[in-house]
Amino acid sequence: MRFSIIVFPGSNCDHDCEYAIRQVLKNPVEMIWHKNTDLKNPDCVVIPGGFSYGDYLRTGAIARFSPIMESIFNFANKGGLVIGICNGFQILCEAQFLPGVLLKNKNLRFVCRNTYVRVDEVDTPFTNQCKNSSVLSMPIAHGEGNFFIDEEGLKKLEDQHQIIMRYCNSKGQITDESNPNGSLKNIAGICNQARNIFGLMPHPERVCEKELGGIDGQLIWQSISNS
Amino acid sequence: MKITPQLIQDHGLKPDEYERIVQILGREPNLTELGVYSVMWSEHCGYKHSRALLKKLPTQGKKVLQGPGENAGILDVGNGWAVVFKIESHNHPSAVEPYQGAATGVGGILRDIFTMGARPIAILNALRFGPLSNLKSRQLLTGVIRGIADYGNCMGIPTVAGEVSFDDSYLDNCLVNAMCVGVIRHDKIIKGVASGVENSVIYIGATTGRDGIHGATFASTEISEKSQEKRSAVQVADPFMEKLLMEATLELIEKNLLIGIQDMGAAGLTCSTCEMASRGNMGIEIDVSKVPLRELKMNPYEILLSESQERMLLVAKPGCEAEIHSILKKWDLNAATIGKVTETGLMVVKHEGEKVVEVPAQSLTDPPMYHPQKLEPAFLAEYRSFRESSIPVPTNFNQILLRLLADPTIASKQFIYQQYDHMVQTNTIVLPGSDAAVLRIKETNQGLAMSVDGNGIYCLLNPYEGGKIAVAEAARNVACSGAVPIGLTNCLNFGNPEKPEVFYMFEKVVEGMSDASVALEIPITGGNVSFYNESQLGPIDPTPIIGVIGVLDDVSKHVTQWFKKSGDLIYLIGEVNDLIGGSRYLQVVHGKKTGICPTIDLKNAKLLYQCLNELANKRLIQSAHDCSEGGLAVAISECCFTGIACGKPLIGAKINMAWHGRMDGILFGESQSRVLISFSPQEKKLVDQILSTYGMTFQQIGVVGGSQLLIEQAVQIDVEYIAEQFFSSLEHQVNSGGKA
């Protein structure tokens, strides 16, 4: 499985993703500067976390106009896999690859801490190695991760099983206390209708080694590798 | 413009300093030159009152690759790797504009690290505020935290550790000290030196505006009502620009295109130009009409003194200019060749064809040096005469323990550090909440432990012992994580040095630090002095902040502070005594900021660190925790529950130890060099043997287990309940106005 990681000015989880995919999971990786248009023939494109363009205007709002975005659009239209993590998720929403928006956290503060998410859909290229309703421990680090969508949009997401993971407590219960940012229905990650584009706020690349406190993130990368 | 005595005074220069300038130049300076001297000879840049004393600090050591005098200190960590680190204050700007002040403080210290070629891997900070019952303190705290968070988070550099405390003396003068740690291969180290006649001098980064003009001079006066009018002396932060600047700078250095590089911090273009020239014994000639500007019609005075952020000055290797420009274009950054290196030793500045500055570069970096008057303050004798017997021994120890755990100085800082991304770069092995943060160096098996610490009240009661303790405690934090402390950086926050009482305290603290550094063999590789932290309320408590770096040759051998397993034995290494002088207990519970400061035996401290290192290396101990503010009872409590911040379960302990004297002193007194360890009973023989070999005083004081904290004859309380107080108190008090 060949991965290409997109590097925007202000991306800062690009090297963390590279390390997890290359060093820990032993898959080949290319780093792609956003001004280029060649994705270098990947099987999966990774849009990493960070502060692309300093989050100026709105998170992800400027990155969507980068030259590489058209290549990603064409790649995804042909069924290529795209995963956007944190700022990557924000960019995917801004570019309308995914529905909904990510608002400021409910308490208006940046939050970095561990969370639990329940995997509600395992029939995707990104979660096929997870057990249904399994609980993963993954950290978040964002100021704008409060997912919102209108009623009609939410119904569509639910009907088509696009809500892939939700924040929960350690027992897998979806509660208000376990919602770290005010996301609608505790939503932590969704996919598009075709199920080849996935956006999530938690950082799987940060929990791929025991030394870092957990390896649950490996399941996401292994799922992609197995697709 | 005629230089009048009023103009000289407005520039913060004394009449005899002006005379000295006239002597150096052999003529009267023009206004621009006066401005240039005034910033370089400000206390902030010139260390006029502290330099003579700082020269005595121990800065040498086998592992020191770079001591004071450069942008940051560098220590060898083995395997061809080095660690680059420094701490700096941004107190004055933060006091009038907390968000921008703190953010640019972080930005400035980051530049000091990556300008030497190192990639920053961690940010730490030490903060001081007035009590949270005061609205202004809460506003300052909120603004400062947001400033630090927004800058570090955007840069993608984890903020991994810090310390925060609250005291009346910081009401008008909050302290914001930021530290940055970077790693580098030895062969990539680069310095802020200009050499090679005719080599190009290139300006890169953000445009120059009118922000921050005279920031360095502003930081060299006391805070007053007029300080608010000087908000324009505070710079504005743009972390995104800095992220680009960092990546571009590291790429330039990686590709070997530079002779020297220096960031533009305090005193902006002026400082970087004359310092690079001066270090290389060269001259530099620049044309400020070529500087990229963000405002119209800026005159050379403004351009030279602007402290606009996110800018660098570099000297290119011959023939590399085109490649440098193309790398900066890739990162969408400004770059302008503004001058060249000369052999004249002069700093020459031109503007639209006219020469506006011509002064010897070295004269700017060699400001006057003062030996201020000193006088022992009368209050020291008063503190020494405090009688502990005047304080009645209370009986409600459960309540007192709860009160201390909820005291914002002692309580968990989770509310703060969760606003910082402390995990990005995936190196953070020990997250915030233990004695020291531990980060791995991915390319090796090694780890770096780091901690910042300082205790104003000890220095207020006894500046010499306080200075010693500051160094020893920061090192002890690092030693508790299993690492060997190898070097330190310091930020000395004091009042007005022209007042003999303040300078007396300064001198004693520096002597204490110096003696500790020698005895513990931890060299001082650099730092920063912040004077004039003073308002109508008087000076702040003397506050040296010490940042220590330690090395673990095998990062997997790191130790954390919380208890791990039921049945493990708990040992206290160090003395059991009942002295309450200078303790947080005496302040919080009895409202008394006084007493006899604890003392420290440095020889014993050195042995303690070696002993902890051996225990960790042999993987004999499950936990190690330093006893500090709040004493033994607070430290034991923390061992019971601080693991939950890292997803570990909380666990109780049963304590039963030999003691005599007053119970409040035993529980909450702050005797130094004390560490709590826990380990499996089957390791007891080996642990005892090692402790004895190092001549440690120790005793078993209890066993890990249960859901309660039980201290015989004193405390019986559910751990879950005290944990709740400890973790929620700070946020609650920030929101509720300091009510517990």
Side-chain angles (χ1 to χ4, degrees), chain B residues 697-715:
Chain B
T697 302
F698 63 95
Q699 61 164 306
Q700 184 182 338
I701 62 163
V703 182
V704 177
S707 61
Q708 287 195 320
L709 172 62
L710 291 167
I711 303 178
E712 206 177 57
Q713 296 176 43
V715 173

Side-chain angles (χ1 to χ4, degrees), chain B residues 460-475:
Chain B
L460 178 73
L461 303 182
N462 183 338
Y464 177 71
E465 283 298 324
K468 276 162 63 182
I469 289 174
V471 169
E473 174 156 6

Side-chain angles (χ1 to χ4, degrees), chain B residues 287-306:
Chain B
D287 181 353
V288 289
S289 7
K290 292 182 177 158
V291 169
L293 301 179
R294 73 179 70 147
E295 295 179 62
L296 293 173
K297 293 188 179 163
M298 284 181 68
N299 63 38
Y301 180 101
E302 292 169 322
I303 297 169
L304 282 168
L305 267 57
S306 160

Side-chain angles (χ1 to χ4, degrees), chain B residues 94-99 129-130 135-145 170-174:
Chain B
S94 304
V96 296
E97 178 64 72
Y99 178 83
F129 301 98
L135 174 65
K136 191 171 134 197
S137 300
R138 298 198 297 278
Q139 287 170 339
L140 286 173
L141 173 92
T142 314
V144 164
I145 303 301
Y170 307 108
L171 196 60
D172 282 343
N173 286 91
C174 64

